[in-house]
Amino acid sequence: MIILNYLLVCFIFGTTFLAIKVGVDASAPPFFSAGLRFIVAGLILFGWMVWRGKARFAHLFRREMLLTGIGLTFGTFSTLYWAEQHVASGIAAVLSATGPMMILVLQTFVLRLKATRLSVFGCMLGFAGIVILLLPNVAIAANLAWVAGCAAILVGELFYSSGALYAKRVIQQFPEASPIALNAAQMIWGGGLLLILSFFTEPFDVSGLLNAKAAGSLLYLTVIGSMVGHSLFYWLVAKTNPVFPATWLYVSPLIALAVGVVFYGETITWLTAAGVLTVIAGTICANFDSLRALLRKNNRGKQVANAS
């Protein structure tokens, strides 16, 4: 059951990038559709958690939920949805996989935590991969929007990494609440901010969401991407450890590239493939030491439990 759910998480998160692409290409307003997705998913999940007694409505009105929503939802997905108007879904997935690498950079330069040589090498390797992805298009004026889209995704990952580090403190601050409920609360705040952004930047045109592709994209992202995917992820965390489920970040970009090529006609050059593999390798190296430490800690915990 654990392996099956893990594969489902990898597949779901890997296909959400194409679902976003399909929606924005079908003229769905990017900020409005993103906001609607997270508002609906967040309200349903939070209401379910309150009904089960794993959260209180008071949690929703905490400042911590707003700040987490700015990082994990608003900043991350406003940039991603806008960027996918110009960037292929597979490339968007690969650039989004740099989030853990940026967490390491923030921990090193902001929180002043010591980084290992392998982590530093991984960051340098990941940066080289990004350069390989971007350089062929920087010199071509027609692809400036593509470069801007890639840069926007990287900015979004800075929001994500900041939000992820802050979310760890929030989860510890509210141990009585389910992590699913806290995630739902931040989705509600982030989704609301996305709707406000849409109000000031996009023409209000509901018809953009009424065609089959846009509506299907929104439904898939809301139900499968936000509700099922995140619930399965937290189920895996509860049943295994925080490390194992997080490895979807190394699998899903490859799935996103594959489904983009097979089902949406996206193309991958040899240089793009080299950049993709370099970014993923750099991300793995940057996080290898922390992954190994957490796995050892988990194994020691199991040994103690078995001995007792």
Side-chain angles (χ1 to χ4, degrees), residues 85-110:
Q85 297 175 104
H86 312 289
V87 178
S89 63
I91 300 301
V94 173
L95 293 175
S96 295
T98 60
M101 187 164 51
M102 293 189 182
I103 289 176
L104 176 68
V105 172
L106 289 178
Q107 287 177 326
T108 303
F109 293 100
V110 178

Side-chain angles (χ1 to χ4, degrees), residues 252-266:
S252 291
L254 302 177
I255 296 175
L257 284 166
V259 297
V261 170
V262 174
F263 296 104
Y264 211 61
E266 296 179 350

Side-chain angles (χ1 to χ4, degrees), residues 42-194:
L43 286 172
I44 293 174
L45 283 176
F46 191 80
W48 181 50
M49 287 290 102
V50 170
W51 180 72
R52 293 186 61 194
K54 295 183 179 295
R56 301 191 308 269
F57 279 111
H59 289 125
L60 187 58
F61 302 101
R62 297 287 305 213
R63 178 175 61 95
E64 292 85 355
M65 301 302 109
L66 169 61
L67 295 177
T68 309
I70 291 173
L72 292 182
T73 296
F74 175 73
T76 303
F77 287 95
S78 61
T79 51
L80 178 62
Y81 270 73
W82 179 85
E84 287 213 40
Q85 297 175 104
H86 312 289
V87 178
S89 63
I91 300 301
V94 173
L95 293 175
S96 295
T98 60
M101 187 164 51
M102 293 189 182
I103 289 176
L104 176 68
V105 172
L106 289 178
Q107 287 177 326
T108 303
F109 293 100
V110 178
L111 301 181
R112 301 297 182 182
L113 299 180
K114 187 177 180 180
T116 65
R117 292 181 179 179
L118 182 60
S119 298
V120 174
F121 170 76
C123 290
M124 294 173 63
L125 189 62
F127 180 76
I130 294 171
V131 172
I132 293 173
L133 281 174
L134 298 182
L135 266 185
N137 297 277
V138 170
I140 305 175
N143 284 324
L144 285 180
W146 186 91
V147 175
C150 292
I153 294 173
L154 294 175
V155 170
E157 288 309 301
L158 280 174
F159 274 94
Y160 168 80
S161 56
S162 302
L165 289 172
Y166 183 70
K168 290 182 180 180
R169 293 172 51 191
V170 173
I171 291 174
Q172 294 172 352
Q173 186 176 344
F174 300 99
E176 76 284 358
S178 166
I180 295 178
L182 298 179
N183 182 60
Q186 69 85 14
M187 283 199 293
I188 293 171
W189 280 106
L193 291 173
L194 284 163

Side-chain angles (χ1 to χ4, degrees), residues 189-208:
W189 280 106
L193 291 173
L194 284 163
L195 292 180
I196 294 173
L197 178 63
S198 172
F199 178 80
F200 287 104
T201 60
E202 297 172 336
F204 184 75
D205 184 13
V206 180
S207 62

Side-chain angles (χ1 to χ4, degrees), residues 236-301:
L236 285 170
V237 171
K239 293 295 182 181
T240 58
N241 55 66
V243 181
F244 175 65
T247 57
W248 74 266
L249 284 163
Y250 314 132
V251 179
S252 291
L254 302 177
I255 296 175
L257 284 166
V259 297
V261 170
V262 174
F263 296 104
Y264 211 61
E266 296 179 350
T267 58
I268 300 176
T269 65
W270 287 108
L271 194 59
T272 299
V276 167
L277 294 176
T278 305
V279 169
I280 294 175
T283 303
I284 293 174
C285 289
N287 294 274
F288 183 79
D289 291 310
S290 58
L291 289 171
R292 183 172 57 183
L294 285 172
L295 285 173
R296 286 178 176 174
K297 180 180 179 181
N298 183 67
N299 288 333
R300 286 197 298 268

Side-chain angles (χ1 to χ4, degrees), residues 30-41:
F31 300 141
F32 182 78
S33 55
L36 190 60
R37 164 193 174 182
F38 287 108
I39 280 280
V40 172

